[in-house]
Amino acid sequence: MELSSLPSGTYFNLVPWVVFFPLIGLILNLILTNRATEKVYGVLASLASGASFIVASLLLVSLNQHPEAVVVPFAEWINIGKLSINWAFRVDTLSVTMMLVVSGVGTLIHVYSIGYMHEDVRIQGDPSRYSRFFIFLNLFIVMMMILVSAESYLMTFVGWEGVGLCSYLLIGFWFEKGKNGDGNAIAAKKAFLTNRVGDFGFISAMFLIFTIFGSLNFTDVFSAARAGGVDAAPWLLLALNLFLLLAVTGKSAQVPLFVWLPDAMAGPTPVSALIHAATMVTAGVYLVARSSPLFALHPAAGTVVAVIGAVTALFAATIAVGQYDIKKVLAYSTISQLGFMVAAVGMGAYVAGIFHLVTHAFFKALLFLSSGSVIQGVEFGHHHAPHAAHGEAFDPQDMRNMGGLRIRMRTTFWVYLVGALALAGIPPLAGFFSKDEILAFAGQHSPLVLIFLVAAAFLTAFYMGRQVWMVFFGRPRSDAAEGARESSAVMTIPLIVLAVLSAVGGALNLPHIETLAHWLEHTIQEARTVEFSLTVAGMSVAVALVGIIIAWFLYGRKPLAAGQTDPLSRLLGPLFTAFEHKWWVDEIYDVLFLTPYKDISQVLAQPVDQGLVDGMVNGIGRLTAVFSRVFRTMQSGRVRVYALYMMIGVAAILGYLILR
């Protein structure tokens, strides 16, 4: 579609600016590095992200007038044989929903970061990195917007790889910090390399898509898929969808490629909120929803997706129960909730999956940012405690060092409570409506998935209750908690906004109204819906309340004292040890994959590379040197000698011609 043919009275022509506004923000901050104050960097980056949100809002208005998908061309890119790919923007109800989530939540995180990073760069001892952080944040928004606005799988992959690069930069922002002085750098590399496994799946899927459909453009591929009569063997369609699933397991941290996300908590807390709650990790869910016509071609692939999601939801929830790091609990909670989304889209409940994606972005961003407020409050108390041993190791993220913070950080406590209850699925908060829609669908389509998700929902309510009781109730278990203070307004105002969204976000798709369902049906024609089930809703609430009550019985009725053994450890024994040690997954991966890989690398590096390959190259070099010395003796500089060589050559040629 040419720009001149776009529907009149709409703002579709503005869609490139969702990418270019944050791009301009990072360029300005690059130019102003070391030339402006901290507030200038933060305000510029926030305004750039906010401008992108305004453009996305105008696109929303335009889609209300013209709900069908519009493709806005921008630039030519690749034209080789049958492969023709241009940089074009796809504006439809799904892409705009993702744009609004990314830019809206992203802007709030930018604003929060102004206050958070002001303290963080000083705690870490390098204020010069302040501007760099906002440059990376804007770059991430750029790449995420490319991903969700693309009109082809190849452009989607560009954004896909771009957010992977940004995650590496942001996770390793304090690369010289962490365990043994390089723990954060290792965490960044772990995230980058694990995602490369998923990226292999994406690349393989693109090859198969082009082989089957002769195009990578969404319009061409989906039109052919929906028309039927795809000339491809069933096993090839299954392979295509399984490769897409591999991509999803990497980016959205599903079993078995989930191991990178908990370690990614090494990044500053706003990074955890932006990348690992609201945007990057949901890219896999978006990819499945976008590729719904392809999954419809082979329903068995969707079943595999749903099972992977359900297993991940329960497995990650068990690990969250045994963690003491406030961010690690939320990290495994993110993996678990992503499992809910993946299970939903695998069952064909695309609306429910996207609905939970949106609400989860609200309350999980709220929880991560609130945890950052808690961490900085405790760090302040530690550094200003009169009797603190500042030379000793102190972990401000360990919940065992907290307690009693509801008195000292009232605003943070109340917004955290809203986020925790929303995550637990307590009505009328947002998480109740989105989670129950998934459970209702599972109840009608897959009893096994339902059992796994209900168990995960129970554990979610329990570990969030455990976290709230340990962090905010009882007496302070350290001098740091005793001296904690509330965060500044620039940090708490975004928290209040996110708390409001977490409370009312369920209105996006209320039962019998289903605003979001009617909105997405223009894009996702394969979506299946289910009636609101009062039975499932009641069961879900009952399960959540039981989880919270058990948490209160163990941690709230008699709050933990400093140095006291975790009551759940006494109750579960070895099982809790397995939870605490994350089922030893990292250790198992090390034995099965990393150690053999290192051993093979050593063999290839020394006997093969250094011995054989380098030996051959060095041998050729030595042989060349020998021949050079021989031929050098022939270069005497005497004309008569050269004339003799010429005569010998002529005689040899004549002899050959005569005798042949």
Side-chain angles (χ1 to χ4, degrees), residues 483-551:
R485 66 169 186 182
E486 184 62 271
S487 300
S488 61
V490 74
M491 292 174 62
T492 56
I493 290 175
L495 298 181
I496 294 171
V497 175
L498 286 169
V500 173
L501 292 173
S502 300
V504 304
L508 290 171
N509 205 49
L510 290 172
H512 309 299
I513 300 175
E514 298 181 339
T515 305
L516 185 63
H518 294 311
W519 169 258
L520 291 175
E521 69 184 4
H522 297 285
T523 301
I524 309 176
Q525 300 174 17
E526 295 75 20
R528 289 179 267 172
T529 58
V530 64
E531 291 286 332
F532 176 77
S533 173
L534 191 60
T535 302
V536 172
M539 175 194 66
S540 173
V541 174
V543 165
L545 289 175
V546 169
I548 294 172
I549 291 171
I550 294 175

Side-chain angles (χ1 to χ4, degrees), residues 577-595:
T577 303
F579 295 166
E580 186 179 2
H581 288 83
K582 299 165 284 190
W583 294 103
W584 297 280
V585 171
D586 284 319
E587 289 80 2
I588 294 171
Y589 277 26
D590 185 72
V591 172
L592 293 180
F593 301 107
L594 295 182
T595 299

Side-chain angles (χ1 to χ4, degrees), residues 67-78:
E68 300 305 318
V70 172
V71 177
V72 182
F74 181 73
E76 294 186 358
W77 187 17
I78 299 175

Side-chain angles (χ1 to χ4, degrees), residues 264-330:
M265 296 302 109
T269 299
V271 174
S272 304
L274 181 65
I275 297 180
H276 311 117
T279 53
M280 174 181 163
V281 292
T282 60
V285 180
Y286 166 78
L287 181 64
V288 177
R290 175 62 74 194
S291 304
S292 57
L294 300 182
F295 282 92
L297 296 174
H298 205 297
T303 302
V304 177
V305 174
V307 171
I308 290 292
V311 170
T312 302
L314 180 57
F315 186 72
T318 63
I319 298 176
V321 169
Q323 302 307 301
Y324 293 105
D325 186 307
I326 188 172
K327 288 174 65 176
K328 284 289 181 69
V329 174
L330 299 178

Side-chain angles (χ1 to χ4, degrees), residues 160 190-191 193-199 241-262 275-277 279-288 295 301-317 319 330-347 353 356-357 360 364 438 449 452-453 456 463 585-586 589 593:
W160 188 275
K190 184 177 182 179
L193 294 175
T194 305
N195 273 275
R196 298 293 73 74
V197 179
D199 296 346
N241 288 320
L242 292 181
F243 276 128
L244 287 174
L245 174 60
L246 180 59
V248 172
T249 59
K251 196 67 75 181
S252 291
Q254 300 293 284
V255 170
L257 300 180
F258 69 94
V259 292
W260 67 271
L261 193 142
I275 297 180
H276 311 117
T279 53
M280 174 181 163
V281 292
T282 60
V285 180
Y286 166 78
L287 181 64
V288 177
F295 282 92
T303 302
V304 177
V305 174
V307 171
I308 290 292
V311 170
T312 302
L314 180 57
F315 186 72
I319 298 176
L330 299 178
Y332 282 104
S333 172
T334 297
I335 298 171
S336 180
Q337 296 304 305
L338 287 167
F340 275 82
M341 302 173 209
V342 171
V345 295
M347 293 185 293
H356 198 54
L357 183 156
H360 178 263
K364 188 54 62 70
I438 297 173
V449 172
F452 276 68
L453 295 183
Y463 64 67
V585 171
D586 284 319
Y589 277 26
F593 301 107

